[in-house]
């Protein structure tokens, strides 16, 4: 009976304070969502040669929102509202000291963070998680995104919970090759 090796899961966690609010930002491997039934395919192992990583800017792309049940409970609206305000503050602070045109509000050419394929970056405050998932297969391009767009889609996804009675919401971009991503609002 042979032993199989499972590559270690890597993650990065940062806790920081924005004003009087402390949030947690994690970058972790994506777990397939049972509500969506979608799995990442085509994950590849590390190559034997070095190559430059492609990064696609998804700030210029829209997404299609859907209400879904993600887990047994929904986040509280107060936590999600506070998280949205915090992400808006991050967007404003990211402009301070940035070169033109990134020092202007809401510049789609100026992403704030990048996520590797098969990973998600999560922003957590209390019961509320806002996640940006790079759904490209392993070996595919990284995807960068903007804080102000994360904050901008939150009211639509929050309505899935407060108005429609779902436990979460997602917003998918699947039409642009190399920029397959999902934005998700769910319980922590």
């Amino acid at each position: 009976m042979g032993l199989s090796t499972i590559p270690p899961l890597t993650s990065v966690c940062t806790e920081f304070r924005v004003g009087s609010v402390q949030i947690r930002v994690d970058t972790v491997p994506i777990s397939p969502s049972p509500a969506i039934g979608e799995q990442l395919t085509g994950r590849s192992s590390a190559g034997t040669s070095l190559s430059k990583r492609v990064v696609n800017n998804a700030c210029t792309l829209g997404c299609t929102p859907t209400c879904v049940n993600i887990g047994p409970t929904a986040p509280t609206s107060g936590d999600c509202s506070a998280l949205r305000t915090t992400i808006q503050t991050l967007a404003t602070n990211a402009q301070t000291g940035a070169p033109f045109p990134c020092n202007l509000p809401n510049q789609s050419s100026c992403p704030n963070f990048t996520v590797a394929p098969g990973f998600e970056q999560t922003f957590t405050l209390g019961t509320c998680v806002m996640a940006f998932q790079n759904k490209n297969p392993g070996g595919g391009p990284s995807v960068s995104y903007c804080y102000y767009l994360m904050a901008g889609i939150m009211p639509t996804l929050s309505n899935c919970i407060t108005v429609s009675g779902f436990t979460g919401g997602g917003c998918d971009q699947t039409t642009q090759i190399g920029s397959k991503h999902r934005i998700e609002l769910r319980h922590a």
Side-chain angles (χ1 to χ4, degrees), residues 68-76 127-128 161 165-169 185-188:
V68 292
N69 286 316
I70 304 172
T73 58
T76 65
T127 63
C128 189
I161 297 164
F166 289 88
T167 62
L185 183 67
R186 63 180 188 253
H187 193 280

Side-chain angles (χ1 to χ4, degrees), residues 57-173:
N57 180 357
C59 295
T60 59
L61 304 174
C63 60
T64 305
T66 55
C67 296
V68 292
N69 286 316
I70 304 172
T73 58
T76 65
S77 60
D79 286 347
C80 289
S81 178
L83 181 58
R84 179 175 188 249
T85 300
T86 303
I87 293 173
Q88 286 174 318
T89 302
L90 286 173
T92 302
N93 290 345
Q95 297 161 9
T96 306
F100 179 82
C102 297
N103 59 340
L104 302 174
N106 305 339
Q107 294 300 304
S108 62
S109 60
C110 306
N112 301 111
F113 61 92
T114 300
V115 179
F119 281 77
E120 70 178 355
Q121 183 158 340
T122 61
F123 301 81
T124 307
L125 192 150
T127 63
C128 189
V129 173
M130 188 68 169
F132 179 86
Q133 301 173 340
N134 181 342
K135 296 289 208 168
N136 290 314
S142 293
V143 179
S144 59
Y145 207 62
C146 307
Y147 293 138
Y148 81 93
L149 290 173
M150 291 280 287
I153 193 66
M154 282 186 81
T156 300
L157 300 182
S158 291
N159 282 342
C160 289
I161 297 164
T162 58
V163 176
S164 301
F166 289 88
T167 62
C171 199
D172 296 290
Q173 194 301 117

Side-chain angles (χ1 to χ4, degrees), residues 7-94:
L9 297 177
T10 59
S11 65
V12 177
C13 171
T14 305
E15 291 193 20
F16 59 95
R17 188 169 295 282
V18 178
S20 63
V21 177
Q22 184 165 340
I23 68 169
R24 183 174 141 163
V25 179
D26 293 300
T27 302
V28 297
I30 298 172
S31 300
S33 172
I36 306 300
E38 181 176 320
Q39 295 183 12
L40 290 173
T41 58
R43 286 187 181 220
S44 63
S45 59
T48 56
S49 64
L50 296 176
S51 61
K52 185 175 181 179
R53 168 68 64 193
V54 174
V55 178
N56 291 330
N57 180 357
C59 295
T60 59
L61 304 174
C63 60
T64 305
T66 55
C67 296
V68 292
N69 286 316
I70 304 172
T73 58
T76 65
S77 60
D79 286 347
C80 289
S81 178
L83 181 58
R84 179 175 188 249
T85 300
T86 303
I87 293 173
Q88 286 174 318
T89 302
L90 286 173
T92 302
N93 290 345

